[in-house]
Amino acid sequence: MEINSNIISPLVVGGLNSPLGARDLTHLLQLEGEERKTMLRKAAEVKASEVGNVVYLRGLIEFSNCCVKNCMYCGIRLDNKTVQRYTVSNEDILAAAKYAYDKNFGSIVLQSGEIESPAFTEKVEYLLQEIKALSNGELGVTLSCGEQSEDTYRRWFLAGGHRYLLRIETSNPELYSKIHPNDALHSFTKRVDCLKLLKKIGYQVGTGVMVGLPFQTFEDLANDLLFMKELDIDMCGMGPFIEHVDTPLYQLKDQLWPLQKRFEVTQNMVALLRIMMPDINIAATTALQAIDKLGREKVIRTGANILMPNITPGVYRNSYKLYDNKPCTDESADDCTSCIDVRVHLTDNEVGYGKWGDSKRFGKRG
Ligand code: 5AD
Ligand code: SF4
Ligand code: FES
């Protein structure tokens, strides 16, 4: 496609006089060769000057793979009967949190499938209180447990959860309805309402999308970036879509972009988001590493500033497979931890040990 150099020139000279619109972004997402390199370099500069070349860690605890939903892309969807379901005991979750605290990670993420029940609300509330207690209130805790009631979100916030990740998956409601069952449990509007609710309650809110979904266009991806800007998010996690053999979307695998293209476009998405929202936190997601062994490192060089080493107790890791080829499923927490330090140094970044590493955006908004 023909590249409109007027669009990248503001990136080249360094100043963005007018905000990037959907048409600009649609073009920029498709840049190749030297022009793409210029854009990635620009994102690296923005990162260095706005948030510094520091990578903050979030120890990821995938504490339950039980889920009531049936997202068409996800390996742990309810109808996948080949999955061995597990919920890590409170004792083991707290031991993993203590590990992160002792290793000076600064923060952890408690992630699970979606379960809405009084017992689940209570479990997470209890864990938050205990994690705060075992770390003298020092360990930051991000939650990623899907759509919940306002009351549950409030209870978790009061118990010490201060960040929440809930991906919109795609900002196009029509595409959303193609990759989810069409029922009240999988409602686009509900997802957006939850994001707004989380912000209202006072969480730092993270969202994100998958890149390279069937039926997804560059316009959709451009609108995803604008959606995040409009919502004024604090954090973002975006990754390439990777088909999982035990899911309905696997049938469409022949229509997908090649993996390498999904990787490159994800890298472009991260770079453009860094340019559009210079002071937010952006994760280098594990799905990037499933395509390219150095995938996360490449994206740290061009905009991302958050890594999420897996500290889920080893025996469960193999059962939290959202997509095929998920890395780090055979390692122990110690393997990931030592590996991460080496990897971050490879990118000429430093690890922000012992810090919460909150999004600067959140601090400014107050
Ligand atoms: N490929 C890539 N990402 C996936 N997720 C779920 N299934 C897949 C897949 N097949 C992502 C979704 C979800 C997050 C926890 O994992 O974006 O929000
Ligand atoms: Fe459940 Fe999340 Fe997977 Fe959907 S993407 S099936 S909500 S774990
Ligand atoms: Fe898990 Fe490298 S991050 S082994």
Side-chain angles (χ1 to χ4, degrees):
M1 115 169 279
E2 199 184 321
I3 302 301
N4 181 348
S5 58
N6 290 335
I7 292 173
I8 57 162
S9 61
L11 297 176
V12 180
V13 294
L16 278 174
N17 299 328
S18 55
L20 293 166
R23 270 178 57 105
D24 307 323
L25 293 166
T26 304
H27 279 284
L28 292 167
L29 282 168
Q30 296 175 77
L31 289 187
E32 289 176 2
E34 281 310 309
E35 286 169 317
R36 174 170 187 261
K37 276 193 194 145
T38 306
M39 174 174 75
L40 296 180
R41 217 176 302 124
K42 174 72 194 165
E45 281 167 27
V46 172
K47 176 185 163 186
S49 68
E50 297 284 337
V51 291
N53 284 332
V54 183
V55 171
Y56 296 103
L57 302 184
R58 316 279 183 241
L60 175 63
I61 309 173
E62 296 157 332
F63 70 90
S64 175
N65 68 353
C66 299
C67 187
V68 296
K69 284 199 169 171
N70 253 320
C71 307
M72 310 282 217
Y73 42 84
C74 178
I76 62 171
R77 64 200 298 274
L78 179 69
D79 284 354
N80 181 7
K81 302 299 178 201
T82 70
V83 178
Q84 276 206 28
R85 303 289 166 176
Y86 71 83
T87 301
V88 183
S89 70
N90 287 348
E91 197 186 357
D92 287 350
I93 298 171
L94 295 175
K98 180 82 169 53
Y99 172 89
Y101 179 59
D102 291 343
K103 292 278 173 183
N104 227 357
F105 274 18
S107 290
I108 57 170
V109 180
L110 292 180
Q111 185 167 65
S112 68
E114 200 173 299
I115 309 154
E116 252 193 284
S117 74
F120 186 74
T121 301
E122 242 163 68
K123 177 181 171 95
V124 175
E125 186 177 47
Y126 168 80
L127 289 168
L128 286 163
Q129 288 160 348
E130 291 297 308
I131 292 165
K132 288 288 152 184
L134 70 81
S135 67
N136 303 314
E138 288 170 27
L139 201 56
V141 189
T142 307
L143 294 170
S144 178
C145 305
E147 295 170 13
Q148 302 285 341
S149 69
E150 176 163 2
D151 182 55
T152 296
Y153 283 151
R154 282 193 191 281
R155 277 174 63 178
W156 291 348
F157 187 70
L158 286 175
H162 57 118
R163 307 184 184 117
Y164 206 101
L165 301 175
L166 183 65
R167 289 192 182 178
I168 188 72
E169 316 296 0
T170 170
S171 64
N172 177 345
E174 271 172 40
L175 177 55
Y176 193 94
S177 72
K178 287 184 183 146
I179 60 169
H180 295 96
N182 284 316
D183 57 27
L185 194 58
H186 301 82
S187 147
F188 178 81
T189 325
K190 169 98 192 289
R191 183 66 60 106
V192 176
D193 288 347
C194 281
L195 285 166
K196 291 186 175 156
L197 192 54
L198 288 161
K199 278 194 76 156
K200 187 180 85 179
I201 294 171
Y203 284 95
Q204 296 174 48
V205 173
T207 191
V209 296
M210 285 177 285
V211 178
L213 287 163
F215 317 113
Q216 194 177 39
T217 64
F218 280 103
E219 285 76 15
D220 289 329
L221 292 169
N223 286 324
D224 290 342
L225 293 171
L226 292 170
F227 174 90
M228 294 187 232
K229 174 106 181 160
E230 170 74 26
L231 196 67
D232 196 13
I233 56 166
D234 302 295
M235 316 175 290
C236 176
M238 294 186 278
F241 167 64
I242 300 173
E243 63 275 22
H244 185 295
V245 62
D246 296 316
T247 61
L249 286 193
Y250 193 76
Q251 287 167 21
L252 301 175
K253 66 176 188 319
D254 297 332
Q255 297 176 28
L256 300 172
W257 291 345
L259 282 171
Q260 189 54 31
K261 178 165 176 183
R262 284 178 246 170
F263 177 85
E264 283 167 15
V265 178
T266 306
Q267 188 172 22
N268 295 352
M269 288 284 283
V270 169
L272 284 169
L273 188 65
R274 174 58 71 203
I275 292 166
M276 292 165 71
M277 303 186 77
D279 51 3
I280 64 168
N281 281 342
I282 308 179
T285 56
T286 313
L288 290 161
Q289 196 188 344
I291 296 183
D292 179 332
K293 282 201 161 56
L294 289 176
R296 292 182 302 180
E297 289 73 1
K298 288 181 182 165
V299 174
I300 287 171
R301 281 191 186 277
T302 58
N305 68 330
I306 301 289
L307 260 181
M308 296 162 60
N310 198 335
I311 58 167
T312 309
V315 282
Y316 301 111
R317 285 195 193 190
N318 232 342
S319 304
Y320 205 92
K321 288 222 170 132
L322 305 175
Y323 45 84
D324 286 342
N325 267 329
K326 188 173 173 224
C328 304
T329 43
D330 298 329
E331 280 84 0
S332 70
D334 263 336
D335 293 333
C336 281
T337 304
S338 48
C339 168
I340 287 286
D341 203 67
V342 174
R343 282 171 181 271
V344 169
H345 282 112
L346 279 179
T347 65
D348 299 324
N349 278 242
E350 277 174 49
V351 179
Y353 283 114
K355 304 231 173 69
W356 277 18
D358 280 342
S359 101
K360 291 206 168 154
R361 175 98 207 110
F362 187 76
K364 284 183 205 161
R365 203 184 308 114

